Amino acid sequence: MAKWFPETTTQTKSQEKSDTSDKTPIESIVQGKTLSHTYYYHFAANMPTDAKQVFEEAVATYNATGVVKLIEGEGTAKQNRITFFVYSKATSTASQGLIESGHGGPKIIERTGWGAYTVNHARAGLNMKYPQMGIKKSVAVHELGHALGLDHSGSVTSVMYPIDHGRSVLSKMDIAALKSIYPESSR
Ligand SMILES: [Zn+2]
């Protein structure tokens, strides 16, 4: 989940941490799982063009790493799949000014016994309720990161920092975490 904090309008240079300090964590349900690096992605029905566009940009960002390979298509039950979607959710007063801009995550399916396989049928969504905050490349990159198995990072250089501040370029630590989920042997 990425949030947008209205009061946080600027990030000063002194808040920037070194790119080598904080490792980008991996979602616990993905840890220790052997997943193919190939994913088939498709859009839910009635996706607005601008939402599709930012997800396409996010797909290109991850494909550029060479660590994962995202291909447009439905995929099969035995293949990794990602569904992109939009939703509309108003912020409650309990959220203390934090606006939800999107959510996403992995869903691991493991079949054991003969013909055993492990796949990830993931989802990544953008909140249309506040389109100026939700329909952004940085949010799409963050939610797709969750779908692929990345967890929140405390580093402001990471796309997995929980509060959206417009960062859509994967940090070295983000790519390192991705490589640990999808090692050379899965490619
Ligand atoms: Zn998040």
Side-chain angles (χ1 to χ4, degrees), residues 40-43 71-77 79-82:
Y40 291 87
Y41 69 89
H42 73 277
F43 298 102
I71 300 163
E72 187 161 11
E74 295 278 339
T76 68
Q79 291 173 319
N80 291 326
R81 303 162 86 173
I82 298 169

Side-chain angles (χ1 to χ4, degrees), residues 1-3 102 142-143 146 152 160-162:
M1 186 179 292
K3 300 212 172 192
H142 178 98
E143 302 308 340
H146 279 311
H152 284 154
M160 298 314 294
Y161 193 67

